Amino acid sequence: MQAIILAGGRGKRLGGLTDSRSKVMLPLAGKPMLEWLLHELEETKIKDVIIVHNYAGERILTHFGSGRNFNLNITYSKQQSDRGTVGSLITGLSLVEHDDRVLILNGDNMVDSKSINSLLKIKGDGLLVSEHNTPQNFGVIKLKGSTVKSITEKPDKDQIRSRIVSTGVWLLSRGVIDKIKLDFEEGQTELSTSISKQIKDGLKIETVRTENWHDVDHPWDLNKLNRYLLKRTQRNISKDAEIADNSTIDGDVYIGDGTIIHAGCVIQGPVHIGENCEIGPLAVITGSTSISSGCRIGPYTRIRSSLIMGEVQIDSNCSIHHSIIGPATSLKSNVEVDAASVDKIVRNTHYHIRRLGLVTGEACMLEQGVICAPGTMLGSQVYVSRRIQLEGEHETGSRVIGGT
Amino acid sequence: MCGIFGVTGDSSTTELLIKGLKRMEYRGYDSSGICLVNGKKLIRKRAVGPLSNLEPLVEDLPNSECGIAHTRWATHGAPTKENAHPHFSRDSKIAVVHNGIIENEVELRNKIKLIDEGIAFESETDSELVAHLLSIEFENSGIDIKKAKEEEILSCWKLVLDKLEGSFALAVVINGRNDFILFARKFAPLIISHDGERGILASDVSCVVGLTEEVFYLNEGDWGILTNSEVQIFNVDGEFVEVEAKKLEWKLGEAELGGYPTFMLKEIYEQPRVVRDCLRGRLSRDKIKGFSIPFNPRLLRIVGCGTAYNAGLLARYYIEQLSKIPVILDHAHEFRYGAPSGPKSLVIGISQSGETADTLAAIEAAQERGYPTLGIVNVESSTIARNVDSLLGIRAGPEIGVASTKAFTGQVLGGLLVAMKLGQLSKTFHREDLSYFDRHARMLPTSMERMLNDQNIKTKLWEAQQYFVDKNHAFFLGRNTSYPIALEGALKLKEISYIHAEGYAGGELKHGPLALVEEGTPIVVIASEGSSHKKLLGNAREVASRGAKVIFITHQEDDLADSHADLVIKVPRTHDLLQPLLYNIICQLLSLNIAEERGCNVDRPRNLAKSVTVE
């Protein structure tokens, strides 16, 4: 059986983080999100994967190639333009070889192999479902026994009758897909609409529940998924890493090749530190933190529960909590981030984030002594001059040089 | 150049030979051929043109356990079927494939005619002679080749090799002997692998990636026999040599398209990774490490050809600016005609493949004159890499597209590392300078990724290519560190799109080239730093006022260019020393787009070969 992974979207709500890569290529716990998903697929009987890409697709090709290094056979299909879920699905279907059924997944979701395997046990058509706190952002499913009675795509809040939502992981047979294609040619670009129609005509879709499904929509979802994936980290310190004798490394900590941990550092797992990083001296890195390859963390700097992407440079005596720092961002000395609970309203939906610090896009530069209020969000290439008290949102390319 | 490939001890020989040829096609693609040892006669199939012309001919060939293959880039004789390898001896019992040039061809041809007056040479190639010579030696020794012992065959093989002058990598199979391949190399690349059951020989490492884990690298003049069970290697004096197998430096997958339409596009997009890998372990805030400079030189000589020469020119600016040590840059093939440069000179050779015959010859000439040498090379197992006193591997991974892209980036970074190290030695490049550079260098891969995915740049490139598609001439202008980028931009454009393009230093414009500017002539101006930038803007105005279409490549913080060009393409700002690399990527993409729009094969431009292994 072949699997189609839809990975064409950008992930606009992640702001500057997706300037040069799509959401699926954001590094979590040391690997792009899509790589985590492929590792799960590796544990199933599926060996052939079709990746439908569009936005920044070259990056996906460069990273995964023919799939050989991931024990999968990967082929690619470029989505022609923005034609909705079905559009990209149909792009991918052109590469399916006479298979009776196809597994369909979203590249920007995380789901474990156990759930996929139980879905694959179903004889006919199937769907993986899960409970969610904000069902209004998904296809809400009404069940009859274990089969789908109806799907309502992104319903109004007051019309929600169920917290069960579609995870977007479908197992569909050729006949169902052919009908979706027909509907698409008639202008129907939503998968759930076409499926709903088929259900009315008597189609049975068996559901399987999962509790291990993670969706990433907003930046703070990244921290959450990072924390979840870091639980899988096992203590593994590369022989090619240089670790100072008097540093303390506790718990499940991964340290990659060529990384240097200077004297007096304290690292408490779960922590992932990629290749060729330089940490310390006397830096403190604690719980649920990922630091991607090529980062430099200066002396006396403290980092907790944060996602630090590639080639980030954080100078001395900074304090970073519950933050997401985009690739190639530079924080000069004494930058301080406060983390607290934050309320955000995005497209009429209210989000209460238990803890959030700073979120930056790519290649930002924060000069000495900048203090960031909880929930500060920056686009890419934002420049912030010395000792600014930073808060709110600042778009890509902006320069913050006065008070905010 | 040509590529040779051979397999013994595997039942699916044909399949493997074709696989090997596919991987080597970038080395030459005028014609190709294979020869299998099977039963009573040698089976030979050859075809002119791309490999796809050969494939149908070999579909139903019988099984064989031993065979050789060749992909040709014509040097002696036109690309015809007769000139395609493998070549047969007079009695069709010996088949040979050859990469290189036999320089005493005429003499040998006469010698053979003396022995066999009536001989009809099948081809115009020098390679064919090797088969005849071996057949004559077998005859002279009176041995029956079907039953002859290995020692007897090897002694005949050695007699042939002693007669050859010039450069060669050779592989020979003999009718009725499906248990071995004879081989030899001198000034042309050849590698061998053997896993105890299957022996493989090939012109370069990228052909055997995935087929084997370890390879034997041969020295100049080495020769021997590859049998089903082992490999025996002898040196030029005929002594048996013990060669240690080395782990392959490349992984499978790196030499595959992996979803990309062309290798060139793939390799352009690999450049952020090349920067990361090339600087890894070498650049830090306070020192440049991970490679050595043989001594503290007073003068530098840099040699290279084509793209490597352009990288050398940029290295020259870097070295002179950062270390104040004078640099003489030569095309590698012209190096030998210059005067010796006195003691305390260091010679730097730049080559992607490390097999470039001209650069190799220059390095050897330098060593004869007693100069220490430093190589900036991609293939770390190559001849140049093994011969130089000090090696700086650029870690770009296999480059398959004939037009060099990612290797240029690696070579420039290599030159920059050398310049900074020399600057530190001569105390003209300080710790603070390095620390400031280092901060920006860490951000460079992300800047590249940002520009490679910048929709605005993609649109601008599309507009820019419209200026070129129906033109026959184009110019690239630069000054200071952007001058080498102008040369490289022009080289890329002519290589793959066949538009005549020249790169000039902006100051040179009024001394001649300006006469060629007409209404609509596309001119790419590449920004430089400081005062030279203002002069370039003046140059842009000069050509624009004569009707040229000006495309200005600059960085985001430059507002001056906007009023001086028809089209301005802006890339992220980075350190002055690194800025040219970002401009160069724009030139690469521009050439690629133009070539594709004109329907050219960007990976295999006509008449060109990837690693130029003949002088």
Side-chain angles (χ1 to χ4, degrees), chain B residues 496-547:
Chain B
I496 59 169
S497 77
Y498 315 141
I499 294 174
H500 170 235
E502 295 298 336
Y504 285 104
E508 198 63 13
L509 195 64
K510 288 193 279 287
H511 301 281
L514 195 56
L516 292 167
V517 175
E518 312 171 341
E519 191 67 37
T521 305
I523 297 190
V524 180
V525 185
I526 299 143
S528 63
E529 308 300 334
S531 59
S532 59
H533 185 54
K534 294 215 175 77
K535 291 201 169 88
L536 256 182
L537 290 168
N539 295 140
R541 192 165 276 167
E542 281 158 18
V543 292
S545 64
R546 280 150 184 94

Coordinates of all heavy atoms in Angstrom, one line a residue, chain B residues 496-547:
Chain B
I496 N 25.9 26.8 -20.2 CA 24.6 26.0 -20.3 C 23.6 26.6 -21.2 O 22.7 25.9 -21.6 CB 24.0 25.8 -18.9 CG1 23.7 27.1 -18.2 CG2 24.9 24.9 -18.0 CD1 22.9 26.9 -16.9
S497 N 23.7 27.9 -21.5 CA 22.6 28.4 -22.4 C 23.1 28.7 -23.8 O 22.4 29.1 -24.7 CB 22.1 29.7 -21.8 OG 23.0 30.8 -22.0
Y498 N 24.5 28.6 -24.0 CA 25.1 28.9 -25.3 C 25.0 30.3 -25.8 O 25.1 30.6 -26.9 CB 24.6 27.9 -26.4 CG 24.6 26.4 -25.9 CD1 23.5 25.6 -26.3 CD2 25.5 25.9 -25.0 CE1 23.4 24.3 -25.8 CE2 25.5 24.6 -24.6 CZ 24.4 23.8 -25.0 OH 24.3 22.5 -24.5
I499 N 24.6 31.2 -24.8 CA 24.7 32.6 -25.2 C 26.1 33.1 -24.9 O 26.7 32.8 -23.9 CB 23.7 33.4 -24.3 CG1 22.2 33.0 -24.6 CG2 23.9 34.9 -24.5 CD1 21.2 33.6 -23.6
H500 N 26.6 33.8 -25.9 CA 28.0 34.3 -25.7 C 28.0 35.4 -24.6 O 27.3 36.4 -24.7 CB 28.5 34.9 -27.0 CG 29.7 35.7 -26.9 ND1 29.9 37.0 -27.2 CD2 30.9 35.3 -26.3 CE1 31.1 37.4 -26.9 NE2 31.7 36.4 -26.4
A501 N 28.7 35.1 -23.6 CA 28.7 36.0 -22.4 C 30.1 36.3 -22.0 O 31.0 35.4 -22.0 CB 27.9 35.4 -21.3
E502 N 30.4 37.5 -21.6 CA 31.7 37.9 -21.1 C 31.6 38.6 -19.8 O 30.6 39.4 -19.6 CB 32.4 38.8 -22.1 CG 32.8 38.2 -23.4 CD 33.7 37.0 -23.3 OE1 34.4 36.9 -22.3 OE2 33.7 36.1 -24.2
G503 N 32.5 38.4 -18.9 CA 32.5 39.1 -17.6 C 33.7 40.1 -17.7 O 34.8 39.8 -18.2
Y504 N 33.4 41.3 -17.2 CA 34.4 42.3 -17.2 C 34.5 43.0 -15.9 O 33.4 43.2 -15.2 CB 34.2 43.4 -18.3 CG 34.5 42.9 -19.7 CD1 33.5 42.6 -20.6 CD2 35.8 42.8 -20.1 CE1 33.8 42.1 -21.9 CE2 36.1 42.4 -21.4 CZ 35.1 42.0 -22.3 OH 35.4 41.6 -23.5
A505 N 35.7 43.6 -15.6 CA 35.7 44.5 -14.4 C 35.1 45.8 -14.9 O 35.4 46.2 -16.1 CB 37.2 44.7 -14.0
G506 N 34.3 46.5 -14.1 CA 33.6 47.7 -14.6 C 34.6 48.7 -15.2 O 34.2 49.4 -16.2
G507 N 35.8 48.8 -14.6 CA 36.7 49.8 -15.1 C 37.2 49.5 -16.5 O 37.7 50.4 -17.2
E508 N 37.0 48.3 -17.0 CA 37.5 47.9 -18.3 C 36.6 48.3 -19.4 O 36.9 48.3 -20.6 CB 37.7 46.3 -18.2 CG 38.6 45.8 -19.3 CD 40.1 46.2 -19.3 OE1 40.5 46.8 -18.2 OE2 40.8 46.1 -20.3
L509 N 35.4 48.6 -19.0 CA 34.3 48.8 -19.9 C 34.7 49.8 -21.1 O 34.5 49.5 -22.2 CB 33.1 49.4 -19.1 CG 31.7 49.4 -19.8 CD1 31.3 47.9 -20.1 CD2 30.7 50.0 -18.9
K510 N 35.2 50.9 -20.7 CA 35.5 52.0 -21.7 C 36.7 51.7 -22.5 O 37.0 52.3 -23.5 CB 35.6 53.3 -20.9 CG 34.3 53.9 -20.4 CD 34.4 55.3 -20.0 CE 35.0 55.5 -18.6 NZ 34.2 55.1 -17.5
H511 N 37.4 50.6 -22.1 CA 38.6 50.3 -22.9 C 38.3 49.2 -23.9 O 39.2 48.5 -24.4 CB 39.7 49.7 -21.9 CG 40.1 50.7 -20.9 ND1 41.0 51.8 -21.1 CD2 39.7 50.9 -19.6 CE1 41.1 52.5 -20.0 NE2 40.3 52.0 -19.1
G512 N 37.1 49.1 -24.4 CA 36.8 48.2 -25.4 C 35.4 47.7 -25.5 O 34.7 47.9 -26.4
P513 N 35.0 46.9 -24.4 CA 33.7 46.2 -24.5 C 32.5 47.1 -24.8 O 31.6 46.7 -25.4 CB 33.6 45.6 -23.1 CG 35.0 45.6 -22.6 CD 35.8 46.6 -23.2
L514 N 32.6 48.4 -24.4 CA 31.5 49.3 -24.5 C 31.1 49.4 -26.0 O 29.9 49.6 -26.3 CB 31.9 50.7 -24.0 CG 30.7 51.7 -23.7 CD1 29.7 51.1 -22.8 CD2 31.3 53.0 -23.1
A515 N 32.0 49.1 -26.9 CA 31.7 49.2 -28.3 C 30.7 48.2 -28.7 O 30.0 48.3 -29.7 CB 33.0 49.0 -29.1
L516 N 30.6 47.1 -27.9 CA 29.6 46.0 -28.3 C 28.2 46.2 -27.8 O 27.3 45.5 -28.1 CB 30.2 44.7 -27.7 CG 31.5 44.2 -28.4 CD1 32.1 43.1 -27.6 CD2 31.2 43.7 -29.8
V517 N 28.1 47.2 -26.9 CA 26.7 47.4 -26.3 C 25.8 48.1 -27.3 O 26.1 49.1 -27.9 CB 26.9 48.3 -25.0 CG1 25.5 48.6 -24.5 CG2 27.7 47.6 -24.0
E518 N 24.6 47.4 -27.5 CA 23.6 47.9 -28.4 C 22.3 48.0 -27.7 O 22.2 47.7 -26.5 CB 23.4 46.9 -29.6 CG 24.6 46.4 -30.2 CD 24.3 45.3 -31.2 OE1 23.2 44.7 -31.1 OE2 25.2 45.1 -32.1
E519 N 21.3 48.5 -28.4 CA 20.0 48.5 -27.9 C 19.5 47.1 -27.4 O 19.6 46.2 -28.2 CB 19.0 49.0 -29.0 CG 17.6 49.4 -28.6 CD 17.6 50.7 -27.7 OE1 18.4 51.6 -27.9 OE2 16.8 50.7 -26.7
G520 N 19.2 47.0 -26.2 CA 18.7 45.7 -25.7 C 19.7 44.7 -25.2 O 19.3 43.6 -24.8
T521 N 21.0 45.0 -25.3 CA 22.0 44.1 -24.8 C 21.8 43.9 -23.3 O 21.9 44.8 -22.6 CB 23.4 44.6 -25.1 OG1 23.6 44.9 -26.5 CG2 24.5 43.6 -24.7
P522 N 21.6 42.6 -22.9 CA 21.5 42.4 -21.5 C 22.8 42.5 -20.7 O 23.8 41.9 -21.1 CB 20.9 41.0 -21.3 CG 21.1 40.4 -22.6 CD 21.5 41.4 -23.7
I523 N 22.8 43.3 -19.7 CA 24.1 43.5 -18.9 C 23.7 43.3 -17.4 O 22.9 44.0 -16.8 CB 24.7 44.8 -19.1 CG1 25.1 44.9 -20.6 CG2 25.9 45.1 -18.2 CD1 25.9 46.1 -21.0
V524 N 24.4 42.3 -16.8 CA 24.2 42.0 -15.4 C 25.3 42.8 -14.6 O 26.5 42.6 -14.9 CB 24.3 40.5 -15.1 CG1 24.0 40.3 -13.6 CG2 23.2 39.8 -15.9
V525 N 24.9 43.6 -13.7 CA 25.9 44.4 -12.9 C 25.8 43.8 -11.5 O 24.7 43.7 -10.9 CB 25.6 45.9 -12.9 CG1 26.7 46.6 -12.2 CG2 25.5 46.4 -14.3
I526 N 27.0 43.4 -11.0 CA 27.0 42.8 -9.6 C 27.6 43.8 -8.6 O 28.8 44.2 -8.8 CB 27.7 41.4 -9.7 CG1 27.0 40.5 -10.6 CG2 27.8 40.8 -8.3 CD1 27.9 39.6 -11.4
A527 N 26.8 44.1 -7.6 CA 27.2 45.2 -6.7 C 28.5 44.8 -6.0 O 28.9 43.6 -5.8 CB 26.2 45.4 -5.7
S528 N 29.3 45.8 -5.7 CA 30.5 45.6 -4.8 C 30.4 46.5 -3.6 O 29.4 47.2 -3.4 CB 31.7 45.9 -5.6 OG 31.8 47.2 -6.0
E529 N 31.4 46.6 -2.8 CA 31.3 47.3 -1.5 C 32.0 48.6 -1.6 O 32.9 48.8 -2.4 CB 32.0 46.4 -0.5 CG 31.5 45.0 -0.4 CD 30.0 44.9 -0.1 OE1 29.4 45.8 0.5 OE2 29.4 43.9 -0.5
G530 N 31.6 49.5 -0.8 CA 32.3 50.8 -0.6 C 32.4 51.7 -1.8 O 31.4 51.7 -2.6
S531 N 33.5 52.3 -2.0 CA 33.7 53.3 -3.1 C 33.5 52.6 -4.5 O 33.1 53.2 -5.4 CB 35.0 54.0 -3.0 OG 36.0 53.0 -3.1
S532 N 33.9 51.4 -4.6 CA 33.9 50.7 -5.9 C 32.4 50.5 -6.3 O 32.1 50.5 -7.5 CB 34.6 49.4 -5.9 OG 34.0 48.5 -4.9
H533 N 31.5 50.5 -5.3 CA 30.1 50.3 -5.7 C 29.6 51.5 -6.4 O 28.9 51.4 -7.4 CB 29.3 50.1 -4.4 CG 27.8 49.8 -4.6 ND1 27.4 48.8 -5.5 CD2 26.7 50.5 -4.2 CE1 26.1 48.8 -5.5 NE2 25.7 49.8 -4.8
K534 N 30.0 52.7 -6.0 CA 29.5 54.0 -6.7 C 30.1 54.0 -8.1 O 29.4 54.4 -9.0 CB 30.0 55.2 -5.9 CG 29.4 55.3 -4.5 CD 29.1 56.8 -4.1 CE 28.3 56.8 -2.8 NZ 29.2 56.6 -1.6
K535 N 31.3 53.5 -8.3 CA 31.9 53.5 -9.6 C 31.1 52.6 -10.5 O 30.9 52.8 -11.7 CB 33.3 53.1 -9.6 CG 34.3 54.1 -8.9 CD 35.7 53.9 -9.3 CE 36.6 55.0 -8.9 NZ 37.1 54.8 -7.6
L536 N 30.7 51.5 -9.9 CA 29.9 50.5 -10.7 C 28.5 51.1 -11.1 O 28.1 50.8 -12.2 CB 29.6 49.3 -9.8 CG 30.4 48.0 -10.1 CD1 29.9 46.9 -9.2 CD2 30.2 47.6 -11.6
L537 N 27.9 51.9 -10.2 CA 26.7 52.5 -10.6 C 26.9 53.4 -11.8 O 26.1 53.5 -12.7 CB 26.2 53.4 -9.4 CG 25.7 52.5 -8.2 CD1 25.5 53.4 -7.0 CD2 24.4 51.8 -8.5
G538 N 28.1 54.1 -11.8 CA 28.4 54.9 -13.0 C 28.5 54.0 -14.2 O 28.0 54.4 -15.3
N539 N 29.1 52.9 -14.1 CA 29.2 52.0 -15.3 C 27.8 51.5 -15.7 O 27.6 51.4 -16.9 CB 30.0 50.7 -14.9 CG 31.5 51.0 -14.6 OD1 32.1 50.5 -13.6 ND2 32.1 52.0 -15.3
A540 N 27.0 51.3 -14.8 CA 25.6 50.9 -15.1 C 24.9 52.0 -15.9 O 24.3 51.7 -16.9 CB 24.8 50.6 -13.9
R541 N 25.2 53.2 -15.5 CA 24.6 54.3 -16.2 C 25.1 54.4 -17.7 O 24.4 54.7 -18.6 CB 24.8 55.6 -15.5 CG 24.0 56.8 -15.9 CD 24.0 57.9 -14.9 NE 23.0 57.7 -13.9 CZ 23.0 58.4 -12.8 NH1 23.9 59.3 -12.6 NH2 22.0 58.3 -11.9
E542 N 26.4 54.2 -17.8 CA 27.1 54.2 -19.1 C 26.5 53.3 -20.1 O 26.2 53.6 -21.2 CB 28.6 53.9 -19.0 CG 29.4 55.1 -18.5 CD 30.7 54.6 -17.9 OE1 31.1 53.5 -18.1 OE2 31.3 55.4 -17.1
V543 N 26.2 52.0 -19.6 CA 25.7 51.1 -20.6 C 24.2 51.3 -20.8 O 23.7 51.1 -21.9 CB 25.9 49.6 -20.1 CG1 27.4 49.3 -20.2 CG2 25.4 49.3 -18.7
A544 N 23.5 51.8 -19.8 CA 22.1 52.0 -19.9 C 21.9 53.1 -20.9 O 20.9 53.1 -21.7 CB 21.5 52.4 -18.6
S545 N 22.7 54.1 -20.9 CA 22.5 55.3 -21.9 C 22.8 54.8 -23.3 O 22.5 55.5 -24.2 CB 23.4 56.4 -21.5 OG 24.8 56.1 -21.6
R546 N 23.4 53.6 -23.5 CA 23.6 53.1 -24.8 C 22.6 52.0 -25.2 O 22.8 51.2 -26.1 CB 25.0 52.6 -25.0 CG 26.0 53.8 -25.2 CD 27.4 53.5 -24.7 NE 28.2 54.7 -24.9 CZ 28.4 55.7 -24.0 NH1 27.7 55.6 -22.8 NH2 29.1 56.7 -24.2
G547 N 21.5 52.0 -24.4 CA 20.4 51.2 -24.7 C 20.4 49.8 -24.1 O 19.6 49.0 -24.3

